[in-house]
Amino acid sequence: MNLLGLVVFFSFLSIGRFSEEDSRPDVVNIGAIFSFGTINGRVAKIAMNAAVKDVNSDPSILGGSKLVLSTHDSNYSSFLSIIGGLQYMETKTVAIIGPQVSGMAHVLSHLANELHVPMLSFTALDPSLSSLQYPYFIQTAPNYLFQMTVIADMVSYYGYREVVAVYTDDEESRGCIIALGNKLAERRCEISYKAVLSPESLTTREEIMNELVKVSLMESRVIVLHAFSVVGLRVFELARKLRMMEEGYVWFATTWLSTMLDSTPGDIKDAKSIQGVLTFRPHAPISKKREAFTSRWNKLSNGSIGLNPYGLYAYDTVWMIANAVKVFLDSGGKISFSKDSNLNGLAGGALNFSALSTFNGGSRLLKNILHTNMMGLTGQIAFDSDKSVRHPSYDILNVMGKGYKQIGYWSNYSGLSVVPPEILYTKAPNRSSSNQQLDHVVWPGQTTVKPRGWVLPHNGRKLRIGVPYRVSFKANFVSKDEKTNEIHGFCIDIFLAAINLLPYAVPHKFILFGDGHNNPGYTELISMITSNVFDAVVGDIAIVPNRTKIVDFTQPYTESGLVVVAPIRKLNSSAWVFLLPFSPLMWGVTGAFVLIVGVVVWMLEHRINDDFRGPPKKQCVTILWFGFSTMFFTHREKTASTLGRMVLIIWLFVVLIITESYTASLTSILTVQQLAPSIRGIESLITSNDHIGFQVGSFAENYLSEELDIAKSRLVPLGSPEEYADALTTGRVAAVVDERPYVDLFLSKYCMFQVVGQEFTNSGWGFAFPKDFPLVMDMSTAILTLSENGELKKIRNKWLNTRTCGHSEDPNQLQLKSFWGLFLICGLACSIALLVYFSSIVHKFKQYIPQESEPSNRNGSKSQSIRRFLSFVNKKEEASKNKWKRKHRSSTGMQRHESGIEREGHNGDTYLH
């Protein structure tokens, strides 16, 4: 094929020459190299001829010069076509359209560079052809780099991580797959397997079948097919026979498939073989110009072939050259050629290399082409500084039978969208994940449910799951039943529950790691995933940064940060703890203000308020009572003066603040942990020189030594809860640093220790898998489901139901011993008050109740005296006093009558003077 291209290129350049004296030539020759038996070759020939006709029909373009298109059929690069090409060429060319394939373009581009003849191609789209190595080669359609970006964006959009690439082993396809791999890597995806087929003419059905069988055994069910149409259809045909076009598979086909559907749908014999495939088509916005050309197409092609986007690009490419030549001629340029001195030694021979000439105006014409800015059938045509088409965009199609439905667009401006790119160009670019949208897809198997995109390999091997063979806490987290050899525990139950939620089976087997005498090293266990010893690790595996660098973790199923455990010492409780919130000075000032406020309010209210009047003794009591009662908002005296009310309101506000502050301070004192450890957290451990215990196998050792820079000589490995307790009790270590779940279990058994300080790392436990392992996402979803439906909590309660050890009294409760001083004072006050009260009552009973004169009454029973006493106590004090007064006056009147010194009073009453 390369030899054919060279011959054709030489032929174009060795044909007739213009006289340099002619400023505007009669004809402007351009050439085209295509395989006109292919779909794109047939469509391009019709479109280019139509464009040449349209250019020549408009005298304003070339001003009397005629554009002449010479075509050469490379006929799939047969040697005979090279000979025919040499005989066919007769005129000099200023530009060449083609070649059709990238392999020939790589060779001919070097000649174009040497002879300064621009080459324009809309089908040779290998991304490497846009490099600076080929300055005279211009791709007038979006190259495959953008199409590979579309595929990578869609793979990421649907949440897939791995794809299988099926392609033919030619220069163009290799460049495309390299570009696809780079774009996938940018999105943390990858090509997991490359199924390479022989070039088109050499591919056999047996070869395709063998590769597809290999692909069917892979984990990934996402397949990207890049090939020519003949090979592509054969791949789909055989894939259907292997049941690879059924539910569960995802197929992406490059633009070759959309080209067939647009131009030759009749060539597709088995429509079911491509059902559900996603394919792409260069986007051409709807315009009057495009609609007019589309309406002409049937007449131009005589109905022999349908129009596809590459026909539009062919038409526009001719117009690009015509406009560039117009600018070249209008600016005084002359189409002239000169001998290439490098070819002087090649004169003679059948090929006549000496006839080859350099286009003197080639660089100017190239510059004019790259500065193109015109509206064509494919939309606005312009080039960026790297020679790539500006604003590349694609239609995304979902194949349905021999037709398709459009599910969206892709543009380099805003990514995936259901809105046409030309509308998005008027808005600010937005490539955020929330803005990426596509319509619903009908996938292979006639399902609208998005395929998972992967399966476990069909090689009969179960997942090898490493499990830590623990020594400490093994009964709770991971344990082996010695009788049945089954693995049980908190971590195992969660893993099995998550597996059961998956919509597919996951064959697996647990493999213990460790000697059973010491806890295994978890870092070593994790590293066995990367060395392919295990396919996963299940257990109490902490998710820490150095581990996430080599494996992927599921969603954490429990929290697990590091905490400090230290011995505890009890504080002696004081009976006068209620005095601690205030300092002595504060108590003195508060008491003084109680008296001051009482005196001030009394002074303000004395003259107008009866509540503050009376005998001096009563007023002093009122002052004291009023002042102290305001401390508890129980004062009964009403204030009548405005000044008195103002003083009282301010004082009550002060009292509110004082009492609330007192309450808060006392609460803080009494509810602070009644334990005083010598270690108060990780900060005090770092600054001390004390020894620190850690669990063997835990990441705590590395964290303490590497992250917190604690000397390893201070770290003491401990293997079991019993060792924890012994080391802390004997003082071998000042504290133990371990993960929270272990500590909770430890403290439920040993009550003489406690957690001090805050949890100083934020981590959790998860299941470890190889990087980008597809099971990770489904397992994470299953763990979240377990959390939402409460199953995770049930499993935790089953294995980690930590019960507090037996305290005679809860240390967090306020105990009576802290308040017995207050109760003592209150009790003494009550006792004294009762004693004074009963003394006063007895005194009044003896004073107010006269002695009975009758002997029978004097000798009455004690019970009668008690009844009389209780009756006296029960009577109102005023009634008792009035009764006594009446009896007392009656007795006094009788005595005065007997002594003759009585005086008769008004209404029969007597008065004592």
Side-chain angles (χ1 to χ4, degrees), residues 511-588:
I511 303 174
L512 290 173
F513 174 75
D515 57 12
H517 302 291
N518 298 292
N519 287 339
Y522 281 37
T523 301
E524 181 184 359
L525 176 58
I526 292 297
S527 66
M528 288 191 169
I529 294 178
T530 60
S531 59
N532 201 30
V533 176
F534 295 130
D535 299 311
V537 170
V538 171
D540 45 339
I541 311 298
I543 304 173
V544 292
N546 64 329
R547 294 174 182 172
T548 58
K549 294 177 182 178
I550 59 175
V551 297
D552 279 347
F553 283 93
T554 62
Q555 172 79 17
Y557 58 84
T558 188
E559 295 181 353
S560 173
L562 291 177
V563 293
V564 178
V565 180
I568 56 179
R569 295 179 309 184
K570 294 193 175 183
L571 289 173
N572 294 324
S573 183
S574 171
W576 307 101
V577 68
F578 67 92
L579 295 175
L580 294 180
F582 289 164
S583 66
L585 179 61
M586 180 65 181
W587 280 115

Side-chain angles (χ1 to χ4, degrees), residues 30 89 409 415 591 602 637 642 684 725 770 803 812 878 880-881:
I30 61 174
M89 302 302 175
Y409 306 88
W602 174 79
E637 292 79 7
T642 302
S684 58
R803 296 176 292 274
N812 290 326
E878 289 297 326
S880 298
K881 289 181 179 181

Side-chain angles (χ1 to χ4, degrees), residues 719-770:
S720 66
E722 292 73 21
E723 284 192 57
Y724 285 15
D726 179 71
L728 288 169
T729 303
T730 60
R732 187 155 60 100
V733 297
V736 171
V737 173
D738 207 345
E739 297 172 68
R740 190 79 202 203
Y742 304 129
V743 170
D744 290 341
L745 288 173
F746 172 71
L747 295 181
S748 69
K749 184 178 181 181
Y750 297 95
C751 303
M752 67 288 298
F753 309 105
Q754 67 158 346
V755 174
V756 293
Q758 301 294 322
E759 194 170 297
F760 58 91
T761 63
N762 295 320
S763 61
W765 289 351
F767 305 132
F769 292 90

Side-chain angles (χ1 to χ4, degrees), residues 376-392:
L377 301 182
T378 57
Q380 189 68 33
I381 301 173
F383 295 95
D384 288 329
S385 58
D386 60 354
K387 298 192 304 176
S388 62
V389 175
R390 187 172 299 171
H391 297 319

Side-chain angles (χ1 to χ4, degrees), residues 15 77 157 284 360 485 499 559 716 765 770 797 811 822 907:
I15 303 173
S77 301
Y157 173 78
N360 297 325
N485 289 329
I499 286 291
E559 295 181 353
V716 179
W765 289 351
N797 292 338
L822 288 175
N907 292 331

